[in-house]
Amino acid sequence: MSDYVALVPLRGGSKGIPDKNIRMIAGKPLCAWVLETACLSGVFTSVVVSTDSPRIAEVVRGLGLPVDILDRPAELATDEASTESVMLHAAQKLSFDVLATIQATSPLIKAEDFKNAYNLFNAGSYDSLLTAVRTKRFFWNDNGTALNYLPHQRPRRQDFAGSLMENGAFYFTKRSILERENCRLGGRIGIYEMAAESAVEIDEPEDWTVVERALLDRSRQPLHEALAKIKLLVVDVDGTLTDAGMYWSAEGDQLKKFNTRDAKGLELVRRAGVQVAIITSENSPIVSARASKLGIKHCFIGVESKQQCLAALACQLRIDLDEVAYIGDDVNDLDCLKVAGFSACPSDAFEAVAATVRYVSKYAGGMGAVREICEMICASQAKNSTR
C-alpha cells in the first residue's frame, strides 16, 4: 500500500481577497471545506496544512479535524513562491509515496472526487495526476488559428468531444517525480475529470460570489433527498430530548424529564441503519445513563465546542457533514446546525435557531420533536430504497 499524504497550502498573505483562506463562506472558513472533505474521504494517511500564519494555524486547529500543521518558512509564502517550492519543502519534512496537493480555493471538491481519482491513479499506473473539467468551447490562437477544431469541419455540439481544462483543484504526485523534476506533473500523467461547476477557482472577489452560491445550492436540495442520505443523527439534550426544565428531588438530586416516544424514534432510526449520537454541553451523568439505556454509544457530555466534537465524530465514522442531521434548540447549537446536511429544532426553540434550521418541528422539546424528525428520516430512506 502506498502512503498518500494530503497537503493543503494556506499562506497568510492573500492580496486579492484579504484572509481568503480563513474567510467565512457558506457558513464555515474557506479552508474547512477541503480539509473536511480530505479527512472524510478515507484516501489519505494524513492531512497536512502548510502555512506561515499563526492565525491560520489557530483556525485550522479550531476545526477539530485530524489535521497536522507544517510551519512554512516566510520565503516560501511570498507572491513569487511557487506551489512546487511548498511541495518540495513538505517532501523534506514528511514521509509519503504520493503527495496530493489540494487547493483551498476549490471548495466544491467532494470526497468521492478523491476516492475516484485515487482509484484512477492506481488503475492507470500513473506517476502524477491533475484534475480538469470538460469544455465544449472552441479555442483560438492570437494568430487566427484554431486550437481544438477544424473550422471547415465545424462539429455539432453533441458530436464534439471538447477539451479538458485544468481546474487546479488537486494534484497527485509521486515522490520520485517531485524530487526528480521539481514539478507537480511528470512521467505518466493521468487526468481526473470533475463536474463542470468545479471549473471556478476563488481568485477574485467575483469568484467568491459564484462559489458561495454553488455551495449554498448544494444544501438546498429537496427535503426528502436531504433526509434520504442521512447516515448520522445528532441530538442535543436540554430543550431537545427534554423539556428544558430543571427538576430537583427533596434530597437535592437533579432530575430530567425524557419522552419515551422520542426514545422510540431514535430506536427506529437506528434500525433503519442511521447512527445516533448525543452531544451536550452539560456534564450530567443522567445523560450518560439515558444514552446507555437507549443503546447509544456515541454520547458526549460536558462539550465546550459542539462543532469540533461533531467534526471529529464525522471524521471518525467516515461520514460527510452533508450526511449528518442535527437537532438542537439554543444558540450553542447554531454552529452545528449551520454545517449539518439537515438541521431541525423543536417548536419552542430559541428564535435565532428557528430562523436558521431547515425544519421546525410541530412539537416542543421533550414532547415529540425528536420522534417526528426520526420518522421523517425513516420515511425518506424507505422511499429512496424502493426506487
Side-chain angles (χ1 to χ4, degrees):
M1 291 290 291
S2 296
D3 191 15
Y4 282 69
V5 169
L7 177 70
V8 183
L10 299 176
R11 75 184 183 100
S14 175
K15 299 291 193 302
I17 305 176
D19 293 326
K20 175 174 65 177
N21 286 318
I22 54 175
R23 180 179 170 183
M24 298 297 288
I25 181 169
K28 58 181 108 172
L30 174 63
C31 64
W33 291 94
V34 296
L35 290 173
E36 287 176 358
T37 303
C39 291
L40 291 168
S41 69
V43 168
F44 309 112
T45 53
S46 63
V47 178
V48 180
V49 162
S50 170
T51 186
D52 62 309
S53 168
R55 186 180 176 200
I56 289 177
E58 181 181 1
V59 170
V60 170
R61 291 189 182 99
L63 296 174
L65 299 170
V67 174
D68 297 321
I69 305 294
L70 178 62
D71 291 329
R72 191 195 309 185
E75 62 269 21
L76 299 184
T78 65
D79 292 338
E80 293 75 27
S82 67
T83 299
E84 273 76 6
S85 67
V86 178
M87 295 168 66
L88 288 164
H89 174 256
Q92 296 173 3
K93 305 292 183 179
L94 306 173
S95 173
F96 62 84
D97 297 308
V98 178
L99 188 68
T101 306
I102 306 168
Q103 305 292 353
T105 50
S106 297
L108 293 169
I109 301 170
K110 298 180 179 179
E112 65 192 52
D113 289 319
F114 290 132
K115 294 176 184 177
N116 293 339
Y118 171 85
N119 292 332
L120 174 66
F121 191 76
N122 288 318
S125 298
Y126 294 114
D127 298 304
S128 58
L129 174 143
L130 61 95
T131 59
V133 295
R134 189 171 297 276
T135 177
K136 294 196 174 186
R137 299 296 181 91
F138 298 128
F139 295 101
W140 290 74
N141 282 313
D142 290 339
N143 63 7
T145 57
L147 282 172
N148 63 340
Y149 83 113
L150 299 174
H152 61 283
Q153 296 178 359
R154 188 182 186 93
R156 297 183 305 164
R157 180 175 177 80
Q158 59 267 39
D159 300 327
F160 183 47
S163 301
L164 289 170
M165 180 187 76
E166 188 173 339
N167 67 348
F170 61 89
Y171 302 84
F172 285 177
T173 313
K174 285 186 176 179
R175 175 183 281 275
S176 57
I177 292 296
L178 178 61
E179 293 179 339
R180 186 180 74 221
E181 304 193 18
N182 291 339
C183 182
R184 71 190 81 178
L185 296 172
R188 178 172 164 79
I189 300 174
I191 303 177
Y192 173 66
E193 187 174 340
M194 294 181 64
E197 66 177 13
S198 67
V200 182
E201 293 183 82
I202 300 179
D203 292 319
E204 304 296 336
E206 52 267 29
D207 300 331
W208 192 276
T209 302
V210 173
V211 173
E212 183 164 39
R213 186 181 302 119
L215 288 169
L216 291 172
D217 284 345
R218 279 187 183 178
S219 66
R220 290 171 183 156
Q221 63 189 130
L223 187 61
H224 68 90
E225 290 184 12
L227 290 168
K229 64 190 291 189
I230 295 303
K231 295 181 179 178
L232 171 65
L233 170 63
V234 181
V235 293
D236 170 48
V237 177
D238 292 326
T240 302
L241 277 174
T242 77
D243 61 1
M246 300 294 288
Y247 303 93
W248 299 87
S249 70
E251 291 75 25
D253 297 322
Q254 183 182 356
L255 307 172
K256 290 182 183 292
K257 178 184 176 183
F258 293 92
N259 190 307
T260 57
R261 292 175 182 171
D262 287 341
K264 188 65 175 179
L266 294 174
E267 178 188 337
L268 294 173
V269 152
R270 291 172 61 211
R271 284 185 188 174
V274 177
Q275 299 198 59
V276 173
I278 291 174
I279 299 179
T280 177
S281 56
E282 187 177 0
N283 192 357
S284 171
I286 298 175
V287 177
S288 297
R290 183 60 175 165
S292 178
K293 173 73 174 177
L294 299 178
I296 298 173
K297 64 179 181 179
H298 302 297
C299 178
F300 305 90
I301 63 174
V303 175
E304 292 185 8
S305 172
K306 290 189 173 185
Q307 184 180 8
Q308 288 186 31
C309 183
L310 173 60
L313 177 61
C315 282
Q316 175 191 334
L317 299 176
R318 300 293 186 196
I319 293 175
D320 193 278
L321 289 175
D322 285 344
E323 300 168 326
V324 173
Y326 189 98
I327 313 173
D329 75 305
D330 216 330
V331 291
N332 61 339
D333 295 305
L334 281 172
D335 288 341
C336 291
L337 292 166
K338 288 177 181 177
V339 300
F342 174 78
S343 57
C345 71
S347 61
D348 57 345
F350 190 68
E351 288 183 4
V353 172
T356 299
V357 299
R358 181 76 182 273
Y359 183 81
V360 178
S361 173
K362 298 189 290 287
Y363 304 99
M367 300 296 291
V370 170
R371 174 65 175 269
E372 180 193 15
I373 293 156
C374 287
E375 290 185 345
M376 290 170 60
I377 293 173
C378 290
S380 294
Q381 301 216 343
K383 181 179 179 180
N384 190 60
S385 65
T386 59
R387 291 180 177 176

